[in-house]
Amino acid sequence: MERQKIFDNTEVAFQLKSDTELERAHFLFKMISIEPLVKIGTAVTNFAIKANLPVEGLIRSTVFDHFCGGVNEDDCLDIIERMYELGVSSVLDYSVEGKESEAHFDAAMEKTLKIIRFSEEKDSMPIAVFKPTGFGRFHLYQKKGEGKPFTADEQAEWDRVVDRFDKVCRLGKERDVEILIDAEESWMQDAADQLVTEMMRKYNTESTIVYNTLQMYRHDRMDFLKAEHEVAKKEGFLLGYKIVRGAYMEKENDRALEKGYLSPICESKQATDINFNDAVKYILDNLDTISLFAGTHNEESSYLVMDLMQKKNIENADNRVWFGQLFGMSDNISFNLANLGYNVAKYVPFGPVKDVMPYLIRRAEENTSVAGQTGRELMLIKKEKARRKLK
Ligand SMILES: Cc1cc2nc3c(=O)[nH]c(=O)nc-3n(C[C@H](O)[C@H](O)[C@H](O)COP(=O)(O)OP(=O)(O)OC[C@H]3O[C@@H](n4cnc5c(N)ncnc54)[C@H](O)[C@@H]3O)c2cc1C
């Protein structure tokens, strides 16, 4: 099949969706394509949750069930196994955000350790993931990154963050489960980056276990990648990077404007795209020392990875190259890639409904229509409905 048409196959893309599920997805994406509705919906939902109004059922049967695997790990197992039968692996993602107590950080770490132990037994889950702010306070990362001195209490708190990272990465190494570490806001990311590099230095000795994330909407990330590569080559450890465009653009631009510094975000979408592609090229040129996890819903970027792999005679199933999408999105990319034997993993978020709201809101926002265009998910769903001759 002509390469640029591979992702158009909606039959392969939606083979796990019943007609009813497809109808539900159609309704959902139609709703969230309307920007004012998402804005109002978000405000009303946040208010309703704070006021303890009984809205969980409604959230669950709409956005939650589409974008999340369930409330706990066990809820997700059925869909994980069904996806794996079609060649798509899963990364269970404990998506609770904004909890800042030591008890919550310990609980998030325990969840991640449990998932790693789980992963060891299940071929369908070869990779685990966590967010730096799931393991430590946002402002602590920020203070560390700014080079400000810690109080004795803060130092002890930071030592516990380091310990959580270390426990998870060590178990990943022992059980041969790869660990992806997400990237977040730039003003806390420096400290997280230093810590992740430390983990790579320690655990990526024989194979790549630990992966950091590079948000290529940041114009400084190519320089960062090259600098890290120099260090890793000199010291003899391997690098792993999840390459994404980045999910916090508005927040980044707003803060830069408010505080009067140059925004870390590229000047245009096109500049971000070029930066993303440059990172892909750089990594594939250096695959002996850097592994790639391409986290994207962008078809062009996915085709680029495929084309470069072919040019460089890298096998589709080479374990140093993974593609990743989020559950509930871009099944046309995930299932068609898997069909061709590429390594593909979907993030499968889970957690209590009200605690995964920030995640769900980001998904709704990124699926609102841009300047009146039909969103790509909606377009694909409509195409598949027409193919199945559903009304
Ligand atoms: C498996 C996976 C893991 C992820 N992990 C993370 C993570 O750890 N951290 C994180 O931040 N995000 C993460 N994301 C989300 C990701 O950063 C993007 O928000 C999302 O995937 C959309 O980008 P895209 O490449 O799919 O496609 P596209 O739709 O082509 O790109 C949209 C993106 O382009 C950028 N962009 C849009 N307009 C402009 C503009 N005017 N100027 C500059 N840039 C612009 C923004 O980053 C926007 O999100 C992850 C995504 C996936 C699939």
Side-chain angles (χ1 to χ4, degrees):
M1 191 191 289
E2 194 190 323
R3 170 136 295 184
Q4 308 304 327
K5 293 243 162 66
I6 289 168
F7 299 146
D8 293 352
N9 188 336
T10 57
E11 185 177 0
V12 169
F14 294 113
Q15 57 197 310
L16 284 181
K17 291 240 180 296
S18 66
D19 289 354
T20 316
E21 285 167 332
L22 200 65
E23 296 281 10
R24 192 186 67 190
H26 185 207
F27 177 74
L28 175 67
F29 279 97
K30 227 162 78 181
M31 291 297 120
I32 61 180
S33 71
I34 305 166
E35 201 180 344
L37 203 64
V38 170
K39 286 222 161 84
I40 296 165
T42 303
V44 171
T45 311
N46 281 337
F47 169 79
I49 286 175
K50 281 201 189 101
N52 271 328
L53 297 176
V55 287
E56 283 199 20
L58 183 66
I59 299 168
R60 200 146 186 190
S61 59
T62 52
V63 269
F64 183 90
D65 277 351
H66 186 84
F67 290 112
C68 295
V71 172
N72 55 48
E73 309 84 315
D74 291 336
D75 289 350
C76 307
L77 289 181
D78 179 52
I79 187 67
I80 286 176
E81 289 312 314
R82 289 204 293 143
M83 292 201 293
Y84 191 60
E85 279 168 23
L86 300 173
V88 174
S89 299
S90 293
V91 184
L92 264 179
D93 179 16
Y94 182 58
S95 299
V96 171
E97 294 180 25
K99 302 273 181 195
E100 293 227 301
S101 71
E102 290 294 298
H104 277 111
F105 298 142
D106 283 337
M109 178 195 67
E110 289 301 337
K111 275 262 181 251
T112 316
L113 292 172
K114 188 175 165 196
I115 290 167
I116 296 171
R117 290 186 202 106
F118 224 39
S119 296
E120 194 195 14
E121 293 153 24
K122 294 217 178 278
D123 293 342
S124 52
M125 292 186 275
I127 304 169
V129 66
F130 71 90
K131 267 195 162 31
T133 57
F135 285 7
R137 251 188 330 117
F138 188 100
H139 287 100
L140 197 69
Y141 286 102
Q142 184 176 350
K143 193 166 180 185
K144 176 84 182 164
E146 287 167 352
K148 291 186 181 148
F150 277 160
T151 63
D153 282 353
E154 285 169 339
Q155 186 58 49
E157 192 184 342
W158 180 252
D159 291 345
R160 289 194 294 275
V161 177
V162 175
D163 191 51
R164 292 185 191 106
F165 271 64
D166 194 66
K167 280 201 173 95
V168 165
C169 296
R170 190 180 336 131
L171 190 66
K173 167 111 179 161
E174 279 167 23
R175 310 281 170 117
D176 199 20
V177 172
E178 286 161 3
I179 311 291
L180 303 178
I181 302 171
D182 283 348
E184 304 174 78
E185 290 86 342
S186 59
W187 58 102
M188 57 65 62
Q189 192 59 41
D190 285 350
D193 285 338
Q194 285 166 21
L195 194 44
V196 182
T197 303
E198 201 46 52
M199 296 296 121
M200 293 207 245
R201 182 177 279 119
K202 200 164 166 187
Y203 296 112
N204 289 359
T205 44
E206 292 100 40
S207 64
T208 311
I209 295 293
V210 180
Y211 286 67
N212 201 357
T213 300
L214 297 179
Q215 297 154 309
M216 299 314 296
Y217 64 9
R218 286 183 57 172
H219 45 72
D220 64 355
R221 292 295 88 175
M222 270 314 290
D223 289 342
F224 176 82
L225 169 60
K226 289 176 184 167
E228 291 278 287
H229 192 206
E230 285 314 309
V231 172
K233 277 193 297 192
K234 209 153 77 201
E235 296 183 27
F237 63 94
L238 298 163
L239 294 174
Y241 285 110
K242 166 157 63 87
I243 304 291
V244 299
R245 282 182 170 74
Y248 306 89
M249 185 173 72
E250 258 183 54
K251 227 170 160 183
E252 291 283 356
N253 284 333
D254 288 351
R255 185 175 191 267
L257 194 67
E258 187 198 315
K259 300 205 177 273
Y261 60 83
L262 176 72
S263 171
I265 304 298
C266 292
E267 59 184 15
S268 63
K269 170 70 163 71
Q270 195 193 3
T272 295
D273 290 346
I274 292 171
N275 214 27
F276 185 98
N277 293 347
D278 285 349
V280 163
K281 285 178 204 148
Y282 185 87
I283 295 179
L284 291 178
D285 279 343
N286 292 284
L287 204 55
D288 52 336
T289 42
I290 318 179
S291 295
L292 173 67
F293 186 103
T296 183
H297 298 140
N298 183 301
E299 295 184 7
E300 290 311 313
S301 298
S302 307
Y303 284 129
L304 175 76
V305 177
M306 294 160 79
D307 286 341
L308 289 175
M309 285 174 76
Q310 189 177 37
K311 275 198 196 111
K312 292 172 180 298
N313 287 322
I314 301 166
E315 283 189 21
N316 292 6
D318 191 307
N319 197 38
R320 297 167 299 179
V321 184
W322 279 79
F323 294 82
Q325 289 79 41
L326 306 178
F327 184 70
M329 286 179 72
S330 295
D331 282 346
N332 65 316
I333 298 181
S334 314
F335 289 96
N336 282 303
L337 280 172
N339 209 20
L340 295 170
Y342 290 95
N343 296 309
V344 189
K346 286 191 96 93
Y347 268 34
V348 180
F350 70 96
V353 176
K354 61 180 189 325
D355 297 335
V356 300
M357 277 316 291
Y359 177 88
L360 292 175
I361 290 167
R362 283 206 296 283
R363 297 295 78 82
E365 283 171 352
E366 79 190 18
N367 281 291
T368 54
S369 73
V370 184
Q373 284 173 27
T374 307
R376 57 192 152 184
E377 288 299 328
L378 191 53
M379 196 184 67
L380 290 161
I381 293 167
K382 279 185 177 163
K383 191 175 164 212
E384 176 59 6
K385 272 186 68 181
R387 195 195 65 79
R388 293 190 195 180
K389 301 196 171 45
L390 301 175
K391 264 212 307 168

